[in-house]
Amino acid sequence: MPAQPTQPADPSQSPVTVLGLGLMGTALASALLKAGHPTTVWNRTAAKTGPLAAQGATPAATARDAVTASPLTIVCLTTNENVRALLAPEAESLAGRTLVNLTNGSPSQAGELSDWAAAHGITYIDGGIMAVPQMIATPGAYILYSGTDEAAFEAHRATLSALADTKWVGKDPGLAALYDLSLLTGMYGMVMGVAQAYALIGSEGIAAREFAPLLKDFVAAMTDGIVPGTAEAVDTDQHLTDVSNLAMNREAFPNFLQAYAEQGLRSEMFEPFQALLDRAVEEGHGADGLSRLVTLLKQG
Ligand code: FVH
């Protein structure tokens, strides 16, 4: 295996390559430049390198030129399938270097890429970005990392800190993706609820902007109680409640579906929830709280 390219003593001088200059890749490269890293960039559509070159980045003509310019390559494409297709021919050039993949993907995809990298002498770190591009390099943004070689992560941690706070979640390469998808699952649930809420209130001509403060405060208050409360119930396997049981929720939920229909709205996002409440009660969990749903989501 070729030796890992040496790094400068000052971590801010460590060269980095960014492959993929979509909205996120551009934000990542820009943050690295602002932190002082010599940054090489490559994108399939070459025109997207222009604004970064104006900030001091070095555009590479090919992905191969890009990965050989730095000991550390960060890749951020639409899918891991695209990552695999792009990098498979570059395995030899990446050997002895570190590849940080910040493309959204599943745990098994991360595992497959890690195995592929290991077979070619590439150090692979998978990551999940918990931020939108505008949040990169601002407080509150963080990136989850996992991979078989924690020492390699530590070696590059200072550089990666230029992007966002770093959170190492473990040596199983799929863990960052698992955390990422779990967190985003919570977000998508909220997005679904917010969409249906605005549709319902808007069906009587009430402006979303007028309703927004009420919705935001109510969702925040519920989040404060439900997230830790459900965690406690799940971890102790104690689901009986004197707050809001499943039998009551099952009886109330048809009112929501009825209102959606009466207001001329579709309800495809929420019909499965009624089916889940029905099953919970039919299986004898009517006295339990909503935390019981976690156990009912397990197959088999
Ligand atoms: N944007 C966001 O808010 C989220 C935040 C959390 C993380 N996600 C994930 O980040 C990945 C990239 O997202 P993005 O927002 O940068 O996406 P786009 O702006 O659409 O850019 C996509 C880049 O991927 C390149 N690309 C696509 N297919 C290929 C391919 N076959 N070969 C090489 N490159 C490819 C594309 O190139 P081009 O179209 O400009 O030529 C862009 O550089 C993603 O996993 C999110 O889930 C973002």
Side-chain angles (χ1 to χ4, degrees), residues 164-230:
D165 276 355
T166 58
K167 288 194 200 295
W168 174 259
V169 289
K171 290 193 169 195
D172 178 333
L175 277 175
L178 185 72
Y179 274 77
D180 181 15
L181 297 184
S182 301
L183 288 163
L184 291 175
T185 295
M187 182 200 74
Y188 279 123
M190 186 264 289
V191 167
M192 285 162 56
V194 167
Q196 195 83 25
Y198 280 140
L200 184 57
I201 202 78
S203 67
E204 289 297 336
I206 297 164
R209 268 199 223 102
E210 185 191 324
F211 184 62
L214 286 176
L215 182 58
K216 181 170 174 289
D217 288 352
F218 184 70
V219 170
M222 291 296 102
T223 302
D224 281 349
I226 289 172
V227 171
T230 302

Side-chain angles (χ1 to χ4, degrees), residues 21-24 43-45 48 76-78 82 104 129 131 133:
L21 303 175
L23 294 171
M24 185 52 85
N43 193 60
R44 179 181 61 176
T45 308
K48 288 189 186 168
C76 189
L77 308 184
T78 34
N82 293 334
N104 183 271
I129 304 174

